[in-house]
């Protein structure tokens, strides 16, 4: 029952969010275009509900010649690939804002397991043990609140499973509030020496 209510909430909040945040979107689009060559949005294949694939949307924060499909924290000297505006976007988590479009389209939810890269087979398989691939991935989630990039895959998947077990309106509100606290403190993020949002941003962009 809550799944249907959750979807209604996602549609309502994402529609309102796009309207309210449109001035910020406009400013960020201008800043990205003035800062570096390349598209405004970055698209990357991710794993959605029931292990289907979709393309996640983010504001581009890295140079267009960045190695593809490589976690940012695994790149040699990650900072060399990140643009000046990109540093601000990641630190503020503003790079995640276009995912509101993914939510409106029904590819994501505001709260849920963060969508794995299509080639993160170990994480996908581990999540299967906890039925964590059976819900829409989220803009933020229980695992991100409890460690983000610091978490080894087995623990991250287990936390995703805990979210599935506890999923409710109250728990989603709790995750949302704790996410704000986590982002403001930049807790649990590893990306060379650069602070970024997971909301997990453990991916390289091109």
């Amino acid at each position: 029952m809550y799944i249907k209510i959750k979807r209604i909430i996602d549609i309502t909040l994402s529609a309102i969010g796009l309207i309210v945040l449109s001035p910020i979107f406009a400013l960020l689009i201008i800043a990205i275009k003035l800062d570096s060559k390349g598209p405004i949005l970055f698209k990357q294949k991710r794993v959605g509900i029931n292990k289907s694939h979709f393309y996640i949307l983010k504001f581009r924060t890295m140079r267009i010649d960045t190695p593809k499909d490589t976690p940012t924290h695994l790149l040699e000297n990650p900072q060399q690939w990140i643009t000046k505006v990109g540093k601000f976007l990641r630190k503020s988590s503003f790079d995640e804002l276009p995912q509101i479009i993914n939510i409106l389209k029904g590819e994501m939810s505001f709260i849920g397991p963060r969508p794995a890269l299509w080639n993160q087979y170990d994480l996908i398989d581990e999540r299967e043990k906890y039925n964590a691939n059976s819900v829409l991935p989220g803009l933020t989630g229980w695992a991100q609140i409890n460690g983000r990039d610091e978490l080894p895959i087995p623990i991250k998947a287990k936390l995703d499973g805990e979210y599935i077990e506890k999923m409710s309106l109250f728990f989603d509100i709790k995750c949302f509030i704790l996410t704000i606290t986590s982002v403001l403190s930049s807790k649990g993020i590893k990306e060379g020496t650069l602070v970024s949002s997971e909301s997990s941003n453990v991916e390289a962009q091109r």
Side-chain angles (χ1 to χ4, degrees):
M1 180 63 181
Y2 176 61
I3 295 295
K4 293 182 179 179
I5 297 175
K6 183 179 174 73
R7 180 60 191 145
I8 294 174
I9 294 173
D10 284 338
I11 293 173
T12 303
L13 292 182
S14 57
I16 294 173
L18 284 175
I19 295 171
V20 173
L21 296 173
S22 57
I24 295 178
F25 271 69
L27 290 174
L28 294 178
I29 288 170
I30 293 172
I32 292 169
K33 292 303 293 183
L34 291 177
D35 183 48
S36 62
K37 295 180 180 180
I40 296 166
L41 293 178
F42 161 71
K43 300 179 181 181
Q44 187 179 60
K45 187 161 69 172
R46 294 294 186 102
V47 178
I49 187 170
N50 297 323
K51 295 189 283 188
S52 60
H53 289 163
F54 74 101
Y55 284 90
I56 198 171
L57 300 176
K58 295 189 179 189
F59 282 125
R60 182 176 58 83
T61 62
M62 304 186 80
R63 290 163 27 191
I64 59 176
D65 58 340
T66 303
K68 187 179 180 182
D69 290 329
T70 302
T72 307
H73 66 287
L74 294 182
L75 291 171
E76 183 177 352
N77 188 14
Q79 295 188 63
Q80 69 174 315
W81 302 106
I82 301 171
T83 65
K84 293 178 181 178
V85 171
K87 292 180 181 180
F88 165 74
L89 290 174
R90 288 179 167 229
K91 186 174 183 179
S92 64
S93 292
F94 282 173
D95 61 318
E96 309 284 355
L97 289 179
Q99 287 165 52
I100 294 175
I101 299 173
N102 290 119
I103 294 172
L104 188 60
K105 291 171 63 179
E107 297 168 333
M108 292 179 61
S109 177
F110 277 101
I111 310 296
R114 280 296 294 172
L117 285 164
W118 66 272
N119 58 357
Q120 284 184 297
Y121 304 115
D122 47 356
L123 176 57
I124 298 168
D125 290 344
E126 196 69 22
R127 281 177 169 173
E128 194 69 18
K129 299 176 183 178
Y130 302 98
N131 204 32
N133 293 316
S134 64
V135 299
L136 287 173
L139 180 64
T140 184
W142 187 234
Q144 281 60 53
I145 296 166
N146 287 281
R148 295 185 179 186
D149 298 351
E150 291 182 341
L151 296 175
I153 284 175
I155 295 178
K156 183 181 293 186
K158 185 177 181 180
L159 287 168
D160 288 332
E162 287 182 14
Y163 171 75
I164 304 302
E165 294 177 358
K166 299 178 181 179
M167 187 168 56
S168 65
L169 178 59
F170 173 78
F171 196 60
D172 277 0
I173 292 174
K174 178 179 179 179
C175 288
F176 181 78
I177 294 173
L178 290 177
T179 293
I180 296 175
T181 302
S182 182
V183 169
L184 290 177
S185 66
S186 299
K187 180 182 178 182
I189 305 172
K190 290 184 177 180
E191 188 172 287
T193 58
L194 177 72
V195 175
S196 123
S197 60
E198 188 265 356
S199 253
S200 49
N201 287 343
V202 289
E203 81 279 353
Q205 305 186 17
R206 188 170 90 163

